[in-house]
Structures are given as C-alpha cells and as structure tokens.
Amino acid sequence: MLFDRDGTLIRDVPYNGDPKLVEPMPGAVEALGRLRQADVPVAVVTNQSGVAKGLLSPDDMDQVNARVEELLGPFDAWAICVHDDGDGCTCRKPAPGLVIRAAAVLDVSPRDCVVVGDIGRDMDAARAAGARGILIPTPQTLPGEIEDAPEVAHDLWDAVDRVLNDVAAAVPAASAPWARAMGWSRW
Ligand SMILES: [Mg+2]
Ligand SMILES: [Zn+2]
C-alpha cells in the first residue's frame, strides 16, 4: 500500500523543512499498524517540489522524513520526487514514476499496489501506473477531484479496511482446489 505523504499521512504544511511541524493525520498510526500486522508492505510516494524551488534543502527534507518514521514507524520504501512541474521528470505525480519505483523496491507489480492520496495527482499517478487508487479527501481536495476519483474513503482507517477486506477475500479463492486447474485450462 503506497501513501502520499502531505495531507494523507501527515498534515499538509506546504514546503515544510521543519521536523517539529510534522503531525500525523488522524488514524495514521493505527492504520499503518494494521497493515504491518497483516504483513502488507507500506511505502511513501511523495512530491517534494520545494527542493527544486530551493525552499527547503534535501537535508531538511530528510529530517522531516526521519521525523515521519519516528512518529509513524518505518516504511518499506520511500519514493520521492524532488523536481517541479516543467522539469520534465517522469516521477512527479501525476506521472507514474514514483509508484513504479516504490513497487520495484517492494518487488511487486504496480498492478498489485494501492495508492492512497488526497488529490487528483495521486489518483492520476495510480491510474497511469496501473495501480488501484483510493482518494481520502481533505478540505483542500477539489470537488472535481472527488468526482473523478476511482474510489473514495472517509479516512485512513476506511482505506485500510477496504484493502484488508479484499486481501482476506482473495486468499481463500487463490488457494481453492480448482484455482490451479483454472490457471492452465484456459482455451
Ligand atoms: Mg498530498
Ligand atoms: Zn521527479
């Protein structure tokens, strides 16, 4: 499960370079705890154009991310874009690069990933990478972004519920006695 950072895992403080201002979103600690308990890998996919703009240094960003891990626990992967619109990179969301990179680090297909975010760029990146997207709107989320979202959750707990319910539902099906036969008897 791949999470946007600002406005999704932690409160959005634009171009924040100060670890003291990091504050988890409601339910973030519990939601991540449930995923780790269920052995679902967790990663962060985050645009940090403040670095390209010179508003924070890469070192500031690292310290903020270290604080995020202090508060929310370790992530299995971090995929970070430090470019800006107009740099023509392939990682800045809505481009799919961060999702593809995080999936590669986790050694899974992007198609098996779920991207959770608070704006349309997150959902577009998910779509472009072939991943499932779940939008958790905040007051900053635009109505059109909510309309266009493939899936909308109330909060992190709800998003994790959706994913863990599907994981639980998928396990018996995959191990059903006929599953193997179904695999190779395709015409
Ligand atoms: Mg965000
Ligand atoms: Zn980039």
Side-chain angles (χ1 to χ4, degrees), residues 46-78:
T46 178
N47 282 354
Q48 294 298 324
S49 65
V51 176
K53 291 184 170 84
L55 298 173
L56 70 157
S57 69
D59 187 54
D60 293 335
M61 185 187 71
D62 288 347
Q63 288 189 40
V64 168
N65 290 341
R67 180 66 180 149
V68 171
E69 289 211 325
E70 220 171 85
L71 292 169
L72 296 180
F75 288 88
D76 301 294
W78 280 83

mmCIF file of all heavy atoms in Angstrom, residues 46-78:
data_model
loop_
_atom_site.group_PDB
_atom_site.id
_atom_site.type_symbol
_atom_site.label_atom_id
_atom_site.label_comp_id
_atom_site.label_asym_id
_atom_site.label_seq_id
_atom_site.Cartn_x
_atom_site.Cartn_y
_atom_site.Cartn_z
ATOM 1 N N THR A 46 5.915 10.570 -2.644
ATOM 2 C CA THR A 46 5.686 11.978 -2.333
ATOM 3 C C THR A 46 6.385 12.950 -3.277
ATOM 4 O O THR A 46 7.555 12.775 -3.613
ATOM 5 C CB THR A 46 6.091 12.262 -0.856
ATOM 6 O OG1 THR A 46 5.905 13.643 -0.557
ATOM 7 C CG2 THR A 46 7.534 11.885 -0.574
ATOM 8 N N ASN A 47 5.626 13.949 -3.707
ATOM 9 C CA ASN A 47 6.191 15.066 -4.482
ATOM 10 C C ASN A 47 6.771 16.084 -3.507
ATOM 11 O O ASN A 47 6.055 16.538 -2.609
ATOM 12 C CB ASN A 47 5.080 15.796 -5.263
ATOM 13 C CG ASN A 47 4.626 15.080 -6.521
ATOM 14 O OD1 ASN A 47 5.210 14.066 -6.909
ATOM 15 N ND2 ASN A 47 3.606 15.609 -7.160
ATOM 16 N N GLN A 48 8.029 16.456 -3.689
ATOM 17 C CA GLN A 48 8.631 17.474 -2.822
ATOM 18 C C GLN A 48 9.285 18.542 -3.696
ATOM 19 O O GLN A 48 10.512 18.697 -3.737
ATOM 20 C CB GLN A 48 9.646 16.829 -1.863
ATOM 21 C CG GLN A 48 9.014 15.879 -0.858
ATOM 22 C CD GLN A 48 8.015 16.562 0.072
ATOM 23 O OE1 GLN A 48 8.209 17.710 0.467
ATOM 24 N NE2 GLN A 48 6.931 15.874 0.429
ATOM 25 N N SER A 49 8.433 19.296 -4.398
ATOM 26 C CA SER A 49 8.978 20.291 -5.328
ATOM 27 C C SER A 49 9.632 21.455 -4.598
ATOM 28 O O SER A 49 10.323 22.264 -5.215
ATOM 29 C CB SER A 49 7.855 20.812 -6.238
ATOM 30 O OG SER A 49 6.889 21.511 -5.481
ATOM 31 N N GLY A 50 9.424 21.546 -3.274
ATOM 32 C CA GLY A 50 10.102 22.585 -2.500
ATOM 33 C C GLY A 50 11.607 22.487 -2.629
ATOM 34 O O GLY A 50 12.322 23.497 -2.534
ATOM 35 N N VAL A 51 12.106 21.284 -2.877
ATOM 36 C CA VAL A 51 13.551 21.107 -3.058
ATOM 37 C C VAL A 51 13.985 21.759 -4.374
ATOM 38 O O VAL A 51 14.959 22.527 -4.408
ATOM 39 C CB VAL A 51 13.925 19.608 -3.019
ATOM 40 C CG1 VAL A 51 15.398 19.410 -3.306
ATOM 41 C CG2 VAL A 51 13.557 18.994 -1.661
ATOM 42 N N ALA A 52 13.238 21.484 -5.449
ATOM 43 C CA ALA A 52 13.564 22.093 -6.753
ATOM 44 C C ALA A 52 13.435 23.620 -6.682
ATOM 45 O O ALA A 52 14.194 24.344 -7.321
ATOM 46 C CB ALA A 52 12.640 21.538 -7.837
ATOM 47 N N LYS A 53 12.472 24.087 -5.902
ATOM 48 C CA LYS A 53 12.241 25.527 -5.793
ATOM 49 C C LYS A 53 13.250 26.202 -4.870
ATOM 50 O O LYS A 53 13.254 27.427 -4.742
ATOM 51 C CB LYS A 53 10.826 25.786 -5.250
ATOM 52 C CG LYS A 53 9.693 25.417 -6.206
ATOM 53 C CD LYS A 53 8.328 25.818 -5.601
ATOM 54 C CE LYS A 53 7.185 25.696 -6.596
ATOM 55 N NZ LYS A 53 6.639 24.332 -6.692
ATOM 56 N N GLY A 54 14.055 25.418 -4.163
ATOM 57 C CA GLY A 54 15.033 25.981 -3.241
ATOM 58 C C GLY A 54 14.416 26.431 -1.925
ATOM 59 O O GLY A 54 15.028 27.176 -1.157
ATOM 60 N N LEU A 55 13.183 25.974 -1.643
ATOM 61 C CA LEU A 55 12.503 26.382 -0.409
ATOM 62 C C LEU A 55 12.891 25.512 0.785
ATOM 63 O O LEU A 55 12.659 25.877 1.924
ATOM 64 C CB LEU A 55 10.983 26.342 -0.613
ATOM 65 C CG LEU A 55 10.467 27.299 -1.694
ATOM 66 C CD1 LEU A 55 8.982 27.079 -1.948
ATOM 67 C CD2 LEU A 55 10.717 28.749 -1.276
ATOM 68 N N LEU A 56 13.419 24.332 0.498
ATOM 69 C CA LEU A 56 13.989 23.513 1.565
ATOM 70 C C LEU A 56 15.129 22.697 0.970
ATOM 71 O O LEU A 56 15.136 22.424 -0.231
ATOM 72 C CB LEU A 56 12.948 22.618 2.250
ATOM 73 C CG LEU A 56 12.333 21.443 1.509
ATOM 74 C CD1 LEU A 56 11.797 20.419 2.482
ATOM 75 C CD2 LEU A 56 11.193 21.920 0.629
ATOM 76 N N SER A 57 16.093 22.357 1.814
ATOM 77 C CA SER A 57 17.248 21.607 1.323
ATOM 78 C C SER A 57 16.923 20.115 1.377
ATOM 79 O O SER A 57 16.032 19.700 2.116
ATOM 80 C CB SER A 57 18.462 21.900 2.202
ATOM 81 O OG SER A 57 18.268 21.322 3.475
ATOM 82 N N PRO A 58 17.660 19.319 0.593
ATOM 83 C CA PRO A 58 17.470 17.874 0.677
ATOM 84 C C PRO A 58 17.664 17.376 2.111
ATOM 85 O O PRO A 58 16.991 16.445 2.552
ATOM 86 C CB PRO A 58 18.566 17.314 -0.244
ATOM 87 C CG PRO A 58 18.836 18.411 -1.215
ATOM 88 C CD PRO A 58 18.634 19.690 -0.449
ATOM 89 N N ASP A 59 18.555 18.026 2.852
ATOM 90 C CA ASP A 59 18.801 17.622 4.232
ATOM 91 C C ASP A 59 17.584 17.921 5.124
ATOM 92 O O ASP A 59 17.199 17.102 5.965
ATOM 93 C CB ASP A 59 20.044 18.330 4.766
ATOM 94 C CG ASP A 59 20.437 17.827 6.143
ATOM 95 O OD1 ASP A 59 20.603 16.598 6.280
ATOM 96 O OD2 ASP A 59 20.533 18.648 7.076
ATOM 97 N N ASP A 60 16.977 19.104 4.921
ATOM 98 C CA ASP A 60 15.740 19.429 5.661
ATOM 99 C C ASP A 60 14.697 18.351 5.397
ATOM 100 O O ASP A 60 14.017 17.876 6.309
ATOM 101 C CB ASP A 60 15.132 20.762 5.182
ATOM 102 C CG ASP A 60 16.007 21.955 5.515
ATOM 103 O OD1 ASP A 60 16.792 21.867 6.475
ATOM 104 O OD2 ASP A 60 15.891 22.986 4.811
ATOM 105 N N MET A 61 14.564 18.004 4.104
ATOM 106 C CA MET A 61 13.560 17.021 3.718
ATOM 107 C C MET A 61 13.831 15.673 4.403
ATOM 108 O O MET A 61 12.908 15.039 4.916
ATOM 109 C CB MET A 61 13.564 16.847 2.201
ATOM 110 C CG MET A 61 12.465 15.921 1.702
ATOM 111 S SD MET A 61 12.642 15.581 -0.041
ATOM 112 C CE MET A 61 14.099 14.539 -0.041
ATOM 113 N N ASP A 62 15.106 15.284 4.420
ATOM 114 C CA ASP A 62 15.461 14.021 5.073
ATOM 115 C C ASP A 62 15.084 14.045 6.551
ATOM 116 O O ASP A 62 14.621 13.041 7.100
ATOM 117 C CB ASP A 62 16.974 13.766 4.949
ATOM 118 C CG ASP A 62 17.374 13.395 3.531
ATOM 119 O OD1 ASP A 62 16.475 13.092 2.717
ATOM 120 O OD2 ASP A 62 18.586 13.421 3.233
ATOM 121 N N GLN A 63 15.296 15.197 7.178
ATOM 122 C CA GLN A 63 14.977 15.290 8.614
ATOM 123 C C GLN A 63 13.479 15.209 8.853
ATOM 124 O O GLN A 63 13.036 14.611 9.832
ATOM 125 C CB GLN A 63 15.528 16.594 9.187
ATOM 126 C CG GLN A 63 17.045 16.566 9.314
ATOM 127 C CD GLN A 63 17.577 17.768 10.074
ATOM 128 O OE1 GLN A 63 16.980 18.194 11.056
ATOM 129 N NE2 GLN A 63 18.688 18.309 9.601
ATOM 130 N N VAL A 64 12.718 15.820 7.954
ATOM 131 C CA VAL A 64 11.259 15.736 8.068
ATOM 132 C C VAL A 64 10.823 14.275 7.881
ATOM 133 O O VAL A 64 9.999 13.752 8.645
ATOM 134 C CB VAL A 64 10.562 16.664 7.049
ATOM 135 C CG1 VAL A 64 9.071 16.366 6.960
ATOM 136 C CG2 VAL A 64 10.795 18.125 7.421
ATOM 137 N N ASN A 65 11.405 13.609 6.884
ATOM 138 C CA ASN A 65 11.033 12.213 6.638
ATOM 139 C C ASN A 65 11.442 11.306 7.797
ATOM 140 O O ASN A 65 10.730 10.350 8.131
ATOM 141 C CB ASN A 65 11.650 11.728 5.326
ATOM 142 C CG ASN A 65 10.991 12.390 4.122
ATOM 143 O OD1 ASN A 65 9.886 12.919 4.236
ATOM 144 N ND2 ASN A 65 11.672 12.374 2.988
ATOM 145 N N ALA A 66 12.575 11.624 8.415
ATOM 146 C CA ALA A 66 13.010 10.848 9.588
ATOM 147 C C ALA A 66 12.006 11.021 10.718
ATOM 148 O O ALA A 66 11.674 10.069 11.439
ATOM 149 C CB ALA A 66 14.404 11.294 10.030
ATOM 150 N N ARG A 67 11.509 12.236 10.857
ATOM 151 C CA ARG A 67 10.501 12.511 11.893
ATOM 152 C C ARG A 67 9.205 11.753 11.582
ATOM 153 O O ARG A 67 8.547 11.240 12.494
ATOM 154 C CB ARG A 67 10.244 14.020 11.978
ATOM 155 C CG ARG A 67 9.217 14.440 13.006
ATOM 156 C CD ARG A 67 9.669 14.174 14.431
ATOM 157 N NE ARG A 67 8.675 14.587 15.415
ATOM 158 C CZ ARG A 67 8.500 13.998 16.595
ATOM 159 N NH1 ARG A 67 9.270 12.967 16.931
ATOM 160 N NH2 ARG A 67 7.593 14.433 17.437
ATOM 161 N N VAL A 68 8.850 11.682 10.300
ATOM 162 C CA VAL A 68 7.655 10.924 9.898
ATOM 163 C C VAL A 68 7.803 9.467 10.349
ATOM 164 O O VAL A 68 6.875 8.879 10.920
ATOM 165 C CB VAL A 68 7.422 11.002 8.369
ATOM 166 C CG1 VAL A 68 6.326 10.041 7.934
ATOM 167 C CG2 VAL A 68 7.067 12.430 7.957
ATOM 168 N N GLU A 69 8.994 8.893 10.141
ATOM 169 C CA GLU A 69 9.202 7.495 10.552
ATOM 170 C C GLU A 69 9.210 7.351 12.072
ATOM 171 O O GLU A 69 8.771 6.335 12.603
ATOM 172 C CB GLU A 69 10.487 6.948 9.941
ATOM 173 C CG GLU A 69 10.370 6.728 8.437
ATOM 174 C CD GLU A 69 11.234 5.581 7.928
ATOM 175 O OE1 GLU A 69 12.353 5.395 8.477
ATOM 176 O OE2 GLU A 69 10.798 4.889 6.983
ATOM 177 N N GLU A 70 9.716 8.392 12.754
ATOM 178 C CA GLU A 70 9.712 8.359 14.214
ATOM 179 C C GLU A 70 8.272 8.275 14.736
ATOM 180 O O GLU A 70 7.981 7.556 15.683
ATOM 181 C CB GLU A 70 10.347 9.663 14.708
ATOM 182 C CG GLU A 70 11.270 9.561 15.894
ATOM 183 C CD GLU A 70 11.961 10.905 16.101
ATOM 184 O OE1 GLU A 70 11.380 11.784 16.757
ATOM 185 O OE2 GLU A 70 13.079 11.063 15.560
ATOM 186 N N LEU A 71 7.388 9.020 14.083
ATOM 187 C CA LEU A 71 6.000 9.088 14.549
ATOM 188 C C LEU A 71 5.142 7.956 14.006
ATOM 189 O O LEU A 71 4.213 7.501 14.668
ATOM 190 C CB LEU A 71 5.377 10.425 14.139
ATOM 191 C CG LEU A 71 5.947 11.667 14.821
ATOM 192 C CD1 LEU A 71 5.441 12.940 14.140
ATOM 193 C CD2 LEU A 71 5.590 11.687 16.303
ATOM 194 N N LEU A 72 5.427 7.512 12.787
ATOM 195 C CA LEU A 72 4.534 6.556 12.113
ATOM 196 C C LEU A 72 5.160 5.176 11.922
ATOM 197 O O LEU A 72 4.511 4.278 11.396
ATOM 198 C CB LEU A 72 4.103 7.107 10.752
ATOM 199 C CG LEU A 72 3.266 8.388 10.770
ATOM 200 C CD1 LEU A 72 2.906 8.806 9.360
ATOM 201 C CD2 LEU A 72 2.001 8.202 11.608
ATOM 202 N N GLY A 73 6.420 5.025 12.318
ATOM 203 C CA GLY A 73 7.079 3.739 12.139
ATOM 204 C C GLY A 73 7.766 3.663 10.793
ATOM 205 O O GLY A 73 7.579 4.535 9.933
ATOM 206 N N PRO A 74 8.580 2.609 10.597
ATOM 207 C CA PRO A 74 9.391 2.508 9.379
ATOM 208 C C PRO A 74 8.557 2.130 8.151
ATOM 209 O O PRO A 74 7.616 1.348 8.255
ATOM 210 C CB PRO A 74 10.377 1.379 9.711
ATOM 211 C CG PRO A 74 9.670 0.556 10.736
ATOM 212 C CD PRO A 74 8.772 1.487 11.508
ATOM 213 N N PHE A 75 8.919 2.697 7.020
ATOM 214 C CA PHE A 75 8.278 2.334 5.753
ATOM 215 C C PHE A 75 9.210 1.418 4.971
ATOM 216 O O PHE A 75 10.424 1.508 5.079
ATOM 217 C CB PHE A 75 7.939 3.592 4.960
ATOM 218 C CG PHE A 75 6.803 4.355 5.564
ATOM 219 C CD1 PHE A 75 7.029 5.315 6.552
ATOM 220 C CD2 PHE A 75 5.487 4.092 5.202
ATOM 221 C CE1 PHE A 75 5.974 5.997 7.139
ATOM 222 C CE2 PHE A 75 4.431 4.760 5.786
ATOM 223 C CZ PHE A 75 4.674 5.718 6.756
ATOM 224 N N ASP A 76 8.616 0.538 4.180
ATOM 225 C CA ASP A 76 9.402 -0.415 3.400
ATOM 226 C C ASP A 76 10.047 0.237 2.189
ATOM 227 O O ASP A 76 10.994 -0.306 1.619
ATOM 228 C CB ASP A 76 8.505 -1.574 2.975
ATOM 229 C CG ASP A 76 7.898 -2.276 4.188
ATOM 230 O OD1 ASP A 76 8.672 -2.879 4.946
ATOM 231 O OD2 ASP A 76 6.675 -2.180 4.392
ATOM 232 N N ALA A 77 9.526 1.382 1.784
ATOM 233 C CA ALA A 77 10.128 2.119 0.667
ATOM 234 C C ALA A 77 9.694 3.581 0.734
ATOM 235 O O ALA A 77 8.596 3.889 1.215
ATOM 236 C CB ALA A 77 9.703 1.513 -0.668
ATOM 237 N N TRP A 78 10.586 4.433 0.259
ATOM 238 C CA TRP A 78 10.267 5.850 0.078
ATOM 239 C C TRP A 78 10.581 6.180 -1.370
ATOM 240 O O TRP A 78 11.724 5.971 -1.815
ATOM 241 C CB TRP A 78 11.163 6.728 0.956
ATOM 242 C CG TRP A 78 10.766 6.827 2.402
ATOM 243 C CD1 TRP A 78 11.072 5.927 3.395
ATOM 244 C CD2 TRP A 78 10.034 7.899 3.030
ATOM 245 N NE1 TRP A 78 10.560 6.379 4.591
ATOM 246 C CE2 TRP A 78 9.932 7.582 4.406
ATOM 247 C CE3 TRP A 78 9.468 9.082 2.557
ATOM 248 C CZ2 TRP A 78 9.279 8.417 5.313
ATOM 249 C CZ3 TRP A 78 8.826 9.908 3.468
ATOM 250 C CH2 TRP A 78 8.723 9.579 4.833
#
